[in-house]
Amino acid sequence: MASNSMLGRVPPQNEEAERAVLGAILLNEKVLVEVTDFLGKDDFYKVAHQHLFGAIVAFRQESSETLDLITLSAYLKRKSLVEQCGGLSYISTLTSDVPTTTNAAYYAKILKALSQRRKLLLFASKLKDNAFDESQDIQKVIDEGEQSLSTLSNETAGSDNYYSIKDLITNTISDIEMRSTSGIKNGFETGYLPLDSITGGFKKQEFIIVGARPSIGKTAFALSLTLNMIVKKKYRVGFFSLEMSAASLMERLLTGHSRVDFSHIRKATLKNSEMSAIIDASGALYEAELYIQDTPNMKLMELRAQARRMKLEHDIQVIYIDYIGLIDAEADARIPRHEQISIISRSLKQLARELDLPVVCLCQVGRQADGVEPKLSDLRDSGSIEQDADVVILLHRDVGKNRTDDESEREKNNIQETKIIMAKNRNGETGVFSLAFVSNIVRFEEMEFSRKYVAGNNPNA
């Protein structure tokens, strides 16, 4: 129910437009279909108009009779709603103010815009009160405020709730033809052909999980994907590192792009050629758009707020999070960990949809997967991760067991074949392929490229 005053002033409202919309509906019930797609009872300012519009909608849902003054009056009497709606004499005057119903939708959009203004004023007032209330966690106040503002901004007058198959077919065919002609995919390419062939690239609004046991290379895989995206594809990427510092990530990105042995960088024992390679790599990375947040054990609401900020300020296209188990759900300590992870998982899925981009989140795999290929049910702490995720990628590598001569030779050259298991792909196929984990540069590469590298193409040898 709308208040009669707000901040000492009469809130934005237009009683004449409200009367015109209600009168037009009573003259021609087809108008109701036009306006209910985006207009609700709370979008009216006058209380009697709120009750009357709500009663009209209820009448239409409950009765098969034609809507007019006579049938509506009888309905209001049966429901004892006459006085709440302003009285029968007042209702009968509404139609006399409407010479034509042609402009009803236009007036309804005026009401919607005014309603949004009132909601914005209420939002500002509530936000101010919460900011003064020192008993409330300020980060929670900010996160809830951002969510409310995002919801309000998405309320567009006249937006459709459903789509005609005719429109969908036309738009879909046009999109397919455009992509077929231009070669542009509707997903963000990872730079790995086998992965892109299966997924078509990471899609907007997808929640993507990358899972593995410790020391298999989850972070290295995420950074390899990031490196491909920011350098090869020129995407704008946000990276949340809850385990490693931004400086450590930068060292890994430099070693991966320059192909200089990681241990040489860490120990600062670089040859002149290696230093030159690092300087060249730094030049390419300097031009890339990567934004790193490295707060350890980051709170969920803070992470969401920072992601919105990156989207607003830099229009990032993909988000990586390393990793889900280190996010603080800010839940009651008595809530079991698996329920806290469920809260985080659902929230990250919602974030992907809200920001309209893929969110790629790393996840530990349980001990039961030691030495065997992991499966969906092995994702640690919560089954909801498996349910919420659109794509689940699991990494597996046989460590120190049953090594073939070929595998042993590759490992001498720092190449460890790693299975990439597409365990879930909501909108596509699943499958298994291999990438090479090049341990000395902490980077994943396609197997064929790594073989050529070992054969003598190392510029820093």
Side-chain angles (χ1 to χ4, degrees):
M1 182 180 295
S3 61
N4 291 324
S5 64
M6 190 180 300
L7 303 178
R9 300 165 61 184
V10 176
Q13 49 91 23
N14 187 326
E15 185 173 342
E16 290 75 19
E18 291 185 10
R19 288 173 57 87
V21 170
L22 292 169
I25 292 171
L26 293 175
L27 286 173
N28 183 354
E29 66 176 314
K30 289 183 179 179
V31 172
L32 182 63
V33 178
E34 290 182 42
V35 303
T36 50
D37 189 38
F38 59 89
L39 199 66
K41 60 179 289 187
D42 292 335
D43 291 319
F44 290 82
Y45 176 72
K46 189 171 180 177
V47 176
H49 293 169
Q50 293 176 7
H51 287 301
L52 181 57
F53 186 81
I56 290 171
V57 172
F59 171 86
R60 187 66 286 146
Q61 292 171 341
E62 298 172 16
S63 175
S64 59
E65 296 179 276
T66 301
L67 175 66
D68 56 32
L69 272 173
I70 296 173
T71 56
L72 180 63
S73 296
Y75 176 81
L76 293 178
K77 289 176 182 178
R78 288 198 308 271
K79 297 291 185 177
S80 301
L81 295 173
V82 174
E83 295 307 314
Q84 290 183 22
C85 296
L88 294 180
S89 59
Y90 175 74
I91 295 171
S92 65
T93 66
L94 295 174
T95 55
S96 62
D97 292 343
V98 187
T100 176
T101 62
T102 305
N103 295 326
Y106 171 73
Y107 293 138
K109 290 178 180 178
I110 290 175
L111 297 187
K112 186 66 179 181
L114 292 170
S115 171
Q116 287 181 299
R117 289 181 182 276
R118 293 195 299 272
K119 289 177 183 177
L120 186 60
L121 286 167
L122 284 170
F123 161 78
S125 178
K126 182 180 178 181
L127 187 63
K128 179 181 177 182
D129 290 341
N130 290 341
F132 272 110
D133 185 357
E134 295 185 19
S135 68
Q136 295 197 46
D137 180 78
I138 187 60
Q139 193 57 52
K140 183 177 180 181
V141 171
I142 292 171
D143 184 71
E144 290 178 349
E146 287 181 331
Q147 279 188 282
S148 298
L149 193 58
S150 178
T151 301
L152 183 58
S153 69
N154 289 331
E155 274 190 32
T156 54
S159 61
D160 293 329
N161 291 328
Y162 58 86
Y163 301 93
S164 159
I165 191 169
K166 295 180 179 63
D167 293 335
L168 285 173
I169 286 177
T170 301
N171 294 337
T172 303
I173 293 299
S174 297
D175 180 63
I176 292 172
E177 288 179 340
M178 183 276 292
R179 288 189 283 116
S180 297
T181 303
S182 65
I184 298 173
K185 296 182 173 62
N186 61 359
F188 296 101
E189 296 179 49
T190 67
Y192 295 122
L193 185 58
L195 183 56
D196 290 332
S197 296
I198 294 175
T199 63
F202 293 162
K203 308 295 194 306
K204 291 181 178 180
Q205 301 190 11
E206 282 189 338
F207 180 41
I208 300 159
I209 289 291
V210 176
R213 289 292 296 147
S215 302
I216 298 299
K218 293 186 300 298
T219 301
F221 185 63
L223 285 175
S224 297
L225 292 171
T226 299
L227 198 53
N228 289 345
M229 286 184 164
I230 63 174
V231 175
K232 293 181 181 178
K233 303 300 178 181
K234 309 298 183 185
Y235 297 145
R236 300 178 295 277
V237 175
F239 199 106
F240 289 81
S241 176
L242 283 69
E243 190 170 35
M244 297 174 60
S245 69
S248 295
L249 291 181
M250 197 65 247
E251 286 184 344
R252 288 199 177 199
L253 290 169
L254 281 170
T255 194
H257 193 52
S258 67
R259 307 190 64 84
V260 171
D261 194 300
F262 189 47
S263 65
H264 296 181
I265 292 178
R266 297 305 301 269
K267 297 174 184 177
T269 56
L270 297 168
K271 304 174 186 175
N272 289 338
S273 59
E274 290 176 327
M275 195 66 222
S276 296
I278 289 172
I279 291 172
D280 290 341
S282 67
L285 292 175
Y286 187 82
E287 298 300 323
E289 291 198 65
L290 174 64
Y291 306 94
I292 298 172
Q293 167 59 254
D294 67 350
T295 302
N297 301 311
M298 197 173 195
K299 294 179 180 179
L300 176 60
M301 286 186 291
E302 185 181 352
L303 187 152
R304 288 163 56 94
Q306 288 286 344
R308 292 190 191 102
R309 181 181 170 191
M310 285 183 184
K311 177 68 175 178
L312 180 65
E313 295 180 354
H314 304 290
D315 194 23
I316 55 171
Q317 296 166 292
V318 185
I319 285 176
Y320 288 88
I321 302 171
D322 183 14
Y323 64 95
I324 194 169
L326 295 179
I327 298 174
D328 181 359
E330 298 180 89
D332 191 313
R334 292 170 293 184
I335 296 177
R337 182 58 182 165
H338 71 273
E339 291 185 19
Q340 295 187 37
I341 292 294
S342 296
I343 293 170
I344 295 168
S345 176
R346 285 193 299 272
S347 183
L348 294 179
K349 172 62 178 175
Q350 292 166 1
L351 184 68
R353 297 203 62 181
E354 177 189 335
L355 298 186
D356 194 31
L357 47 68
V359 172
V360 185
C361 189
L362 308 192
C363 179
Q364 293 275 24
V365 165
R367 291 181 182 276
Q368 64 272 23
D370 264 340
V372 297
E373 287 189 13
K375 51 187 182 297
L376 279 175
S377 59
D378 294 327
L379 292 174
R380 192 169 174 180
D381 289 324
S382 178
S384 66
I385 297 175
E386 173 187 347
Q387 296 168 10
D388 294 333
D390 298 289
V391 175
V392 177
I393 302 170
L394 301 175
L395 312 184
H396 175 67
R397 187 165 58 246
D398 291 326
V399 181
K401 294 181 180 180
N402 304 319
R403 316 308 294 157
T404 66
D405 291 342
D406 188 41
E407 287 171 331
S408 298
E409 182 61 29
R410 284 202 298 267
E411 287 196 2
K412 288 179 183 177
N413 292 294
N414 300 303
I415 296 176
Q416 301 174 28
E417 184 173 352
T418 305
K419 284 186 178 180
I420 311 299
I421 304 164
M422 292 292 301
K424 179 180 179 181
N425 187 7
R426 196 187 301 276
N427 299 309
E429 60 188 294
T430 57
V432 180
F433 61 92
S434 291
L435 290 177
F437 175 56
V438 188
S439 58
N440 67 318
I441 60 171
V442 203
R443 180 172 181 175
F444 281 84
E445 295 177 336
E446 293 189 31
M447 294 294 295
E448 202 58 39
F449 182 85
S450 294
R451 290 191 186 99
K452 291 178 182 178
Y453 173 71
V454 170
N457 291 336
N458 179 4
N460 304 313

